[in-house]
Amino acid sequence: MTARRIALVTGGSRGIGSAASRQLAADDVTVVVNYHTNAEAAQKVVDEIREGGGEAVPVQADIGDPAQVRALFDTVEDRFGALDIYVNNANTAATFSTIADAPDEHFEQTFLTNTRSMFVALREAARRLRCDGRIIFVSSGVTKMHIPKFGLYAATKAAGEQMIRTLAHECGARGVTANSVVLGPIRSASFDDRPGGAAEGIAQQTPLGRIGEPEDAADVIAFLASDAGRWITGQSINAGGGLY
Ligand SMILES: NC(=O)c1ccc[n+]([C@@H]2O[C@H](COP(=O)([O-])OP(=O)(O)OC[C@H]3O[C@@H](n4cnc5c(N)ncnc54)[C@H](OP(=O)(O)O)[C@@H]3O)[C@@H](O)[C@H]2O)c1
């Protein structure tokens, strides 16, 4: 009998991360649902998974703090003895301004904090994932569309996609795949907070005539995490409803 796979989803308590956690659990994966401040939301996701017969636990950690990122991976290993799937989903809060107007603090908050925590997390995943593991980085279509005021946020995501391409080569001998899912607009709290107009206006620009739902993203993540995704690695998979 093959061992039950273990996944860690950062920011698994809400939005895209919660849908990915639910879908992975439905695929018989035990899910560690990481959250930052909203314990209630994380518990709700875990309860839903358990009610559906799946396995999940909530674990608090601020992914902006490298020590907490390492402790998060330690907790997963201490509790389950292994890690098979790492979904780098959470972002620390992003700022949005033109490059000309961005103060140093925006660089530190949006680029430095996120890129460093991503590096620390990807390093832990690369060191600890079992053979045939999966690394999935949640990126954004802003790496393709070059939208004013999204420069720092886009640069963070571009850095993540590049690290993923390199990781695919560094970890491939163990059967570990590493991919980015390049998401277009998905209905969520962070989508509502960003500049750039109402969802309806953006929906009209997509061939499918709508913005995405968290489940649209989750299905792509779950596919890459599954055995069926084993031959895809080092890729930035466009999942933007055809927007780019
Ligand atoms: N929504 C979109 O249109 C869109 C498009 C492209 C890419 N993305 C990317 O998708 C990812 C998820 O976005 P979302 O829209 O699903 O966001 P969301 O609905 O706002 O949810 C954010 C999640 O991240 C967690 N989080 C926030 N800061 C954290 C921190 N410092 N440490 C640990 N967890 C933290 C939150 O935890 P709490 O519940 O505890 O606050 C929550 O679970 C992000 O990387 C985002 O850049 C989103």
Side-chain angles (χ1 to χ4, degrees), residues 23-102:
Q23 189 54 53
L24 287 168
D27 293 344
D28 291 330
V29 174
T30 296
V31 184
V32 176
V33 176
N34 158 250
Y35 67 99
H36 182 209
T37 54
N38 198 334
E40 199 180 326
Q43 192 58 51
K44 186 164 175 270
V45 174
V46 166
D47 289 346
E48 283 168 8
I49 288 173
R50 289 178 181 163
E51 280 158 22
E55 291 181 9
V57 292
V59 179
Q60 194 279 335
D62 176 0
I63 54 96
D65 176 350
Q68 292 190 40
V69 172
R70 282 189 290 270
L72 175 61
F73 280 84
D74 285 343
T75 302
V76 176
E77 269 194 343
D78 290 348
R79 188 133 184 192
F80 298 103
L83 178 64
D84 300 284
I85 299 161
Y86 174 58
V87 183
N88 193 114
N89 170 68
N91 241 9
T92 58
T95 55
F96 299 96
S97 54
T98 62
I99 288 172
D101 291 334

